[in-house]
Amino acid sequence: MRLTFHQLRLLLAVSREGGVSRAAQRLHLAQPTLSAQLRQLADQVGLALFERVGRRLHLTAAGEAVVDTALRIEQELESLDETLAQLRGDVVGRLRLAVVSTAETFIPRLLGDFRRERPAVEVSLVVLNRDAVIRRLADNRDDLYIMSRPPDAPPVVATPFLANPLVVIAAANHPLAARAAVPIAALEEEEFVLREPGSGTRQAAEHFFAGRGLALRPRLELGSNEAVKQAVAGGLGLSLLSAYALAHAVDEDIAVLRVEDTPVQTHWQVVHPSGKRLTPLADAFLRFLQERAPELNRAAQARLAAARH
């Protein structure tokens, strides 16, 4: 069996686009030409690579095996290209990142700074909830992943690089907002607006309460930090959120409470699958994040001070 990388790239395109027509458009090929290439590939493999369910193509077990190999080859070739570029003194390549939604408040700006230093670098950034980021990590679809709570599985390497303080927020007119100090026990009587189950912030809130023998009383579960803040501002409950989820100019309708044992100290972490060899570009971005961390920490502390003023 002699498969060519050109054939494998065609298969990857169809897998990613979910159909021959869209893949052909993306590749600027005539659909009959792409279909013929796929039939030839299936003939060489000796097994069907796709099956149609409804209007969408789905990979067979054989198709998944070939696509997995094609992805590894694609990543190895990209890594080779970046290594050779580094040896030539160039800084080029594509950096693929997947980050949890709270990190969207600072990662895009950092990526902009990183690219200004390395204008030949291309960046692919996806912002998703924690479960979706973990699925991408399990599929090894990106170079690096940024989250506050790495998963237990699959095995990963996690590098903390930045403090991620979690604070208790309330509507500005909430009775607790006027208090100079709020005992933790006072929170047990309050209802909370929380992120969805499985999110890092939700897990941190549950751990914080359980560690102090208190019951957490969820009132609402929402899928974004902005929705949580709006609900809190509307008086629907308190919340525990990352300081990075607060606007640079803190909303006048939200107060950060001075609750004992808070902020809850967690960290942003750069994660990749255990055993994965980082490309030179991914390694350079990791070092860049570590270098910028002190500046970001100072900005977060200033934001908290302004919120509690």
Side-chain angles (χ1 to χ4, degrees):
M1 182 173 61
R2 294 185 178 181
L3 307 182
T4 68
F5 186 60
H6 174 67
Q7 291 173 317
L8 296 179
R9 288 183 64 190
L10 298 181
L11 181 65
L12 282 175
V14 175
S15 174
R16 287 165 174 160
E17 297 298 324
V20 175
S21 178
R22 286 196 298 270
Q25 291 176 359
R26 179 173 290 275
L27 295 169
H28 305 290
L29 290 175
Q31 184 171 335
T33 301
L34 178 55
S35 297
Q37 292 275 356
L38 292 175
R39 285 195 298 271
Q40 183 180 16
L41 177 59
D43 289 342
Q44 288 180 267
V45 172
L47 294 166
L49 301 177
F50 291 98
E51 58 186 1
R52 185 175 295 277
V53 179
R55 300 181 62 182
R56 186 176 176 87
L57 291 180
H58 294 266
L59 290 169
T60 63
E64 289 178 353
V66 177
V67 164
D68 287 345
T69 299
L71 283 170
R72 289 196 298 272
I73 293 172
E74 182 181 62
Q75 290 163 0
E76 286 296 324
L77 287 174
E78 289 178 357
S79 177
L80 173 61
D81 186 46
E82 292 169 7
T83 299
L84 294 175
Q86 188 179 55
L87 292 172
R88 292 192 301 266
D90 304 330
V91 182
V92 298
R94 176 181 290 273
L95 178 67
R96 295 179 299 269
L97 295 177
V99 306
V100 296
S101 56
T102 306
E104 70 180 339
T105 58
F106 65 94
I107 286 296
R109 181 171 298 185
L110 287 175
L111 281 172
D113 293 343
F114 184 71
R115 283 206 67 218
R116 275 189 286 275
E117 295 179 6
R118 301 164 176 82
V121 168
E122 297 180 13
V123 174
S124 171
L125 172 66
V126 293
V127 180
L128 300 163
N129 64 33
R130 182 174 180 271
D131 286 346
V133 170
I134 290 173
R135 287 195 295 270
R136 290 182 70 94
L137 187 154
D139 293 337
N140 193 28
R141 295 183 59 182
D142 309 279
D143 296 308
L144 297 171
Y145 307 83
I146 296 177
M147 62 188 75
S148 61
R149 294 177 68 87
D152 295 326
V156 299
V157 174
T159 305
F161 73 96
L162 178 65
N164 180 29
L166 307 181
V167 295
V168 181
I169 62 172
N173 59 2
H174 192 284
L176 293 180
R179 298 179 62 171
V182 179
I184 293 177
L187 300 184
E188 194 168 24
E189 303 302 317
E190 301 291 334
E191 293 183 317
F192 273 72
V193 180
L194 299 172
R195 287 293 304 270
E196 72 281 5
S199 76
T201 306
R202 173 68 173 267
Q203 291 179 356
E206 292 170 344
H207 181 76
F208 177 72
F209 272 75
R212 289 155 182 80
L214 301 177
L216 179 62
R217 299 173 59 198
R219 182 176 186 180
L220 283 177
E221 296 177 351
L222 298 172
S224 74
N225 291 324
E226 189 59 35
V228 169
K229 288 190 295 180
Q230 292 299 323
V232 170
L236 293 177
L238 309 187
S239 190
L240 186 72
L241 276 188
S242 166
Y244 286 95
L246 303 178
H248 288 283
V250 178
D251 194 314
E252 293 180 356
D253 295 329
I254 292 176
V256 175
L257 304 185
R258 297 177 180 272
V259 179
E260 65 176 311
D261 290 348
T262 67
V264 179
Q265 296 302 329
T266 66
H267 285 83
W268 290 112
Q269 305 195 51
V270 181
V271 179
H272 62 83
S274 179
K276 179 183 179 73
R277 185 180 66 189
L278 293 185
T279 67
L281 184 56
D283 189 60
F285 185 67
L286 174 56
R287 293 197 306 271
F288 173 81
L289 290 178
Q290 292 170 321
E291 291 167 1
R292 292 292 300 275
E295 174 188 339
L296 291 170
N297 278 325
R298 288 192 295 271
Q301 291 302 320
R303 194 179 308 169
L304 282 178
R308 286 176 157 175
H309 183 66

